[in-house]
Amino acid sequence: MPLAEPELQEALGRLVEAGLVFQRGLPPTAEHLFKHALVQDTAYSTLLRGPRQALHRRIAEALEQRFADLVETRPEIVAHHYGEAAIADKAITYWHRAGKLSAAKSAVREAIAQSCRGLGLLDGLPETRERNQLELDIHVTLIAALMAGKGYSDPEVFAALERANRLVTETTSVGTSVLFFVLFGLWASNHNAGAIAAALEHATNFLSSAQSQPSSGPLLVGHRILAHSLMYSGDYPAALAHAETPASLYRPDEHRDSAFRYGQDIGVSAFVMLSCALWHRGYPDQSARAADRALALSRELGHAHTLDHALYIAGAAAVFARDVATVHAYGNNCVALASEHGFALWAAGGRILQGWADAKRGEATTGIARIRDGIAAAAATGSHVHVPLFLTMLAEALALAGKIEEGLAALDDALARAGVSGERGDSAEIHRLRGELTGRSPYPDPAKAECSFRTALTIAREQGTRGYELRATTSLARLWREQGRRGEARDLLAPLYSSFTEGFDTADLNDANALLEELAA
């Protein structure tokens, strides 16, 4: 039975005198805290279930009625009390609210735990359409947090996506924003698992469904993920066309909620993907500007997962451009932010960026260790995408350490992985680097090196990556110069170099220009 105010204050006073609780402030606004958790646990355990549940209910109701600000900012407290009061429906509602709030702040560990608490309580509710809709909504929050915290291809992500996909049908959510989130998740999980063909099919289906929607958000996402898949499949002209669409149609005010719906902002994702596509199509300056735009927009949004996603992909674009200082800075920032928020996949990718930059800066041994550590960490999340590129970066670092045979073995592994997954977007560079390492081996084989350069050049032209084409052409022209075939080398390189309209201060164009000047002498 509730105590009147005088009796309550007298009882609290006796507890303070007995040394069981601390008093902070003066009655009637004083706060009281148990001196030891064991004392609190003992006092709590003496309550019978009925009175204990009633007490929790009164606390939850009092919080709702008198402390609106606390309920708004700390819904997990109300969720806990309603859960202990065995009022499942209200507890679930507040756990869901807490999960969404944590996810919005990129507090992914908390979002996962809170969403799981809500889903656990759902088991006690009868099977109704409303109950299934609530489960689907909670799964959306959980999946976004899991993808950020554990990677897109973690087994828990796949399981949650399968359940959400069934719930979409059961709740007739076809055509809603929830459906597009689930479709996005299926694309992302397949893509990161290294199932390139399956991911391309998911992206194509997503865009097809999005084209009939009145809202432009799904359409932008559809073009972005299709650009992503096309790039990894090795179709760079088509990838650029699809990347340009969301970048041009993105409106921050209209699409701002996309960061919470898809894990990262639509516009930021579009600009970093556009950056990669532009580099491959021979526009390195525009590529750098697109990456800068993505990072500036990320920082304006203040969404940590969006920023880390942008740092990693912008770092990869800087690797393409051989901009070591930028890769070093983005890799460091990516790892720091990922460590702070628990973004496992971006932490792994950031370490690989750091390692490549270390090797290029003269610290090859450190770089090799970091790249290998990052590859293992990425695989631990279930991610097997980017592996051909990662192994190519590892081969470069090994070569810089003088470990040519190990570097060639890494490139053979990269080609084998690409053959299995269908991730062929970096095949031209893998073959080119094989040619370079073959020429630097203890027993150089110029004919074999030339064959690798020619293969790289053929692939680059077929795929429409002018960035890799220039690099392969320069390598082949350099080999011919060393063989005394100066005219052939100049005739091969000069027309391609002349076709570029920008990027003349980048490493590849500088190398090509320096070689042409030597050939003209």
Side-chain angles (χ1 to χ4, degrees):
M1 184 174 181
L3 295 175
E5 183 68 22
E7 288 85 352
L8 174 62
Q9 293 301 332
E10 182 182 349
L12 289 170
R14 290 199 299 271
L15 290 173
V16 172
E17 290 174 6
L20 296 175
V21 299
F22 290 112
Q23 177 174 302
R24 184 182 298 159
L26 298 173
T29 59
E31 295 180 2
H32 294 84
L33 302 171
F34 283 100
K35 283 193 174 182
H36 199 286
L38 289 175
V39 177
Q40 178 178 325
D41 293 344
T42 301
Y44 186 78
S45 66
T46 61
L47 288 170
L48 296 175
R49 177 183 292 182
R52 188 165 65 232
Q53 289 178 341
L55 184 58
H56 278 293
R57 177 172 187 159
R58 287 173 56 204
I59 293 171
E61 290 173 345
L63 289 171
E64 287 180 316
Q65 294 164 11
R66 299 174 58 186
F67 299 95
D69 289 346
L70 180 66
V71 172
E72 185 71 22
T73 58
R74 299 290 303 279
E76 70 276 9
I77 296 175
V78 191
H80 166 75
H81 287 294
Y82 271 126
E84 292 298 317
I87 303 175
D89 56 342
K90 299 205 75 169
I92 293 165
T93 297
Y94 279 107
W95 280 125
H96 184 207
R97 189 183 297 181
K100 289 194 294 184
L101 189 62
S102 294
K105 296 185 291 187
S106 295
V108 293
R109 300 182 188 92
E110 292 82 356
I112 292 168
Q114 290 157 350
S115 298
C116 287
R117 290 284 294 270
L119 288 172
L121 291 172
L122 274 169
D123 294 338
L125 298 184
E127 285 278 347
T128 63
R129 185 182 180 282
E130 289 73 20
R131 176 236 179 256
N132 288 345
Q133 183 63 55
L134 180 57
E135 182 183 355
L136 177 57
D137 292 342
I138 297 174
H139 263 97
V140 168
T141 302
L142 173 62
I143 291 166
L146 284 171
M147 288 193 298
K150 299 193 174 186
Y152 295 93
S153 300
D154 184 86
E156 288 186 55
V157 173
F158 275 110
L161 279 168
E162 288 177 2
R163 176 59 180 159
N165 204 22
R166 290 195 298 271
L167 288 167
V168 165
T169 302
E170 292 174 12
T171 58
T172 62
S173 295
V174 176
T176 66
S177 61
V178 173
L179 167 68
F180 284 105
F181 171 79
V182 174
L183 292 177
F184 170 81
L186 291 169
W187 168 80
S189 57
N190 277 275
H191 175 77
N192 280 271
I196 302 302
L200 180 60
E201 183 177 354
H202 278 297
T204 302
N205 291 339
F206 187 110
L207 180 58
S208 178
S209 298
Q211 286 169 336
S212 62
Q213 294 299 303
S215 170
S216 62
L219 184 67
L220 269 61
V221 174
H223 281 291
R224 197 280 284 179
I225 65 175
L226 186 52
H228 204 132
S229 285
L230 287 166
M231 208 159 6
Y232 283 77
S233 302
D235 187 347
Y236 288 101
L240 178 58
H242 282 286
E244 286 175 331
T245 300
S248 63
L249 296 179
Y250 174 73
R251 301 291 180 270
D253 292 341
E254 182 180 351
H255 303 118
R256 191 170 295 278
D257 67 339
S258 66
F260 312 121
R261 185 168 297 158
Y262 297 103
Q264 58 270 329
D265 180 78
I266 294 175
V268 172
S269 294
F271 282 114
V272 286
M273 200 51 51
L274 178 63
S275 174
C276 294
L278 283 166
W279 183 87
H280 279 285
R281 292 296 293 146
Y283 304 105
D285 290 346
Q286 292 180 57
S287 169
R289 288 196 294 271
D292 289 345
R293 177 78 180 96
L295 291 169
L297 184 56
S298 295
R299 294 186 172 99
E300 289 172 14
L301 291 169
H303 185 245
H305 188 252
T306 291
L307 176 57
D308 224 23
H309 160 81
L311 284 166
Y312 168 69
I313 298 182
V319 169
F320 297 148
R322 294 167 60 195
D323 183 348
V324 177
T326 297
V327 176
H328 177 71
Y330 289 175
N332 289 343
N333 292 339
C334 184
V335 169
L337 191 60
S339 300
E340 178 184 352
H341 291 276
F343 302 148
L345 183 59
W346 306 134
R351 283 201 288 279
I352 293 167
L353 295 177
Q354 287 178 318
W356 184 86
D358 286 339
K360 289 291 189 178
R361 286 153 52 97
E363 300 172 14
T365 302
T366 300
I368 291 165
R370 273 185 166 163
I371 293 171
R372 284 179 166 154
D373 178 54
I375 291 173
T381 72
S383 178
H384 298 287
V385 77
H386 305 154
V387 175
L389 175 61
F390 294 161
L391 290 170
T392 305
M393 294 163 70
L394 175 61
E396 283 192 82
L398 288 164
L400 288 168
K403 300 179 179 182
I404 303 300
E405 293 302 320
E406 287 186 51
L408 286 168
L411 293 172
D412 288 342
D413 190 12
L415 286 173
R417 300 286 190 99
V420 172
S421 69
E423 186 182 341
R424 297 186 175 89
D426 295 297
S427 294
E429 179 64 357
I430 297 170
H431 282 284
R432 185 199 70 84
L433 199 55
R434 281 186 76 185
E436 291 287 352
L437 268 60
T438 298
R440 292 171 53 189
S441 68
Y443 304 98
D445 187 339
K448 190 174 181 181
E450 179 169 343
C451 182
S452 292
F453 293 147
R454 286 183 179 276
T455 300
L457 191 51
T458 298
I459 293 172
R461 287 170 175 170
E462 288 174 351
Q463 294 183 346
T465 164
R466 297 181 70 241
Y468 282 160
E469 182 184 359
L470 176 65
R471 204 173 287 175
T473 301
T474 303
S475 291
L476 181 56
R478 187 179 293 114
L479 176 65
W480 284 354
R481 180 205 62 188
E482 293 167 359
Q483 296 174 340
R485 301 159 65 182
R486 298 172 65 88
E488 290 176 79
R490 184 177 59 253
D491 292 344
L492 176 71
L493 181 57
L496 179 59
Y497 177 81
S498 298
S499 71
F500 278 79
T501 58
E502 62 179 62
F504 296 106
D505 60 347
T506 61
D508 288 334
L509 283 158
N510 276 331
D511 284 352
N513 184 53
L515 180 55
L516 284 170
E517 289 179 351
E518 286 183 43
L519 294 169

